[in-house]
Amino acid sequence: MIEIKKGREPDKLLLYRQQEGASYEQMDKEVKDELMEKLMEEQGHICAYCMRRIPERRKLPIGVAPATIEHWFPRNPDNKEDIGQGLNYRNMFVVCSGNRGCGNKEGLTCDARRGNESIKVNPCDAVTLREITYTSSGRIQSSDPEIDEDINERLNLNSNIISLPENRKQVLQTLIDDVRRKCGDGDISLYCRRKLEQIQGTSDPKLPYVGIIIWWLEKHA
């Protein structure tokens, strides 16, 4: 995961929220479409959690959307707490399908997996992302036990069913191969710094699984 910097909310959402009785469930398609487009652009067309490309290009089961709007603080929490989170733009991300339609919970990821469970890790809160690291095999992890549990249990971001670790591993290997071609056996720190600046300066679209790339470059810059 990488930090998502929230921008100005879409005008249609702002106007809609001011209407009496406005709710996320009753939101007009026109408002939701603009909201989805804004979130996609803000995140560089990658899922806020697993960092897959969105909208997904693979064939999905009938009725499964290639991207959905996620509320970090659940809009329908089990304790029924309502603090206006359903229409709070800062509470919204766009996420992948979460492998909906796979037929079992073990295959679900991201918001499809977590349901209404609360999570500590927050793509808008850099503090919760600070201890996230990766392994050379492409697994994502955290030294914070609660966040590590979010990653593995509540969000299932190391799912082998949809090859998340393997996909990250391939992205990382492509980067390492590029660095070796450019630098040979010499000092790679300058090239890594420039590459890091280039990647962090790219807003939309971002590279899928870019979190592992940034992590590796920061270690070697």
Side-chain angles (χ1 to χ4, degrees):
M1 272 182 271
I2 60 173
E3 182 182 3
I4 295 171
K5 299 182 185 299
K6 302 296 288 184
R8 184 176 180 272
E9 68 181 315
D11 292 336
K12 286 186 175 64
L13 174 63
L14 176 61
L15 292 173
Y16 175 71
R17 194 173 58 248
Q18 294 170 351
Q19 296 178 19
E20 185 176 354
S23 70
Y24 182 83
E25 288 77 6
Q26 300 300 319
M27 186 184 294
D28 294 339
K29 182 178 183 300
E30 184 179 2
V31 179
K32 192 168 288 187
D33 286 348
E34 184 186 57
L35 175 57
M36 178 76 79
E37 183 178 344
K38 172 69 173 179
L39 291 168
M40 291 265 206
E41 179 182 340
E42 190 170 70
Q43 293 174 205
H45 285 76
I46 56 176
C47 175
Y49 295 134
C50 73
M51 311 204 78
R52 282 192 285 175
R53 171 72 64 216
I54 50 172
E56 294 174 62
R57 294 167 182 166
R58 65 190 178 99
K59 188 175 181 180
L60 295 169
I62 295 173
V64 175
T68 58
I69 295 173
E70 153 79 334
H71 291 76
W72 180 79
F73 187 99
R75 71 176 189 276
N76 296 309
D78 293 337
N79 63 8
K80 310 301 181 186
E81 183 178 4
D82 186 350
I83 55 174
Q85 65 269 26
L87 295 177
N88 181 354
Y89 182 66
R90 295 195 61 80
N91 190 46
M92 298 179 190
F93 303 122
V94 63
V95 294
C96 67
S97 71
N99 205 29
R100 288 178 173 89
C102 68
N104 62 82
K105 185 178 180 180
E106 292 306 309
L108 298 177
T109 68
C110 305
D111 72 313
R113 169 76 171 216
R114 70 170 283 210
N116 282 332
E117 285 194 75
S118 296
I119 56 175
K120 180 177 179 180
V121 66
N122 183 346
C124 273
D125 184 353
V127 173
T128 70
L129 307 178
R130 194 170 294 157
E131 304 304 320
I132 287 180
T133 60
Y134 298 83
T135 68
S136 59
S137 63
R139 291 183 63 83
I140 182 173
Q141 59 192 13
S142 175
S143 57
D144 181 315
E146 189 174 352
I147 291 178
D148 197 65
E149 189 173 357
D150 285 343
I151 288 170
N152 285 288
E153 300 299 328
R154 298 182 185 92
L155 298 172
N156 197 22
L157 299 186
N158 285 312
S159 171
N160 288 310
I161 293 176
I162 53 172
S163 305
L164 289 178
E166 181 60 29
N167 291 341
R168 293 189 200 104
K169 179 181 175 180
Q170 290 179 8
V171 166
L172 178 60
Q173 190 58 54
T174 298
L175 170 67
I176 292 171
D177 290 344
D178 173 66
V179 172
R180 285 173 177 166
R181 280 195 304 270
K182 297 294 184 181
C183 303
D185 295 328
D187 183 10
I188 67 172
S189 58
L190 178 58
Y191 183 74
C192 287
R193 282 198 299 274
R194 289 174 176 171
K195 193 79 174 174
L196 181 61
E197 290 171 0
Q198 176 191 356
I199 289 172
Q200 290 180 324
T202 301
S203 56
D204 184 31
K206 294 184 184 295
L207 293 170
Y209 310 106
V210 70
I212 195 169
I213 294 176
I214 291 174
W215 167 79
W216 192 90
L217 289 172
E218 286 179 338
K219 284 206 313 176
H220 294 85

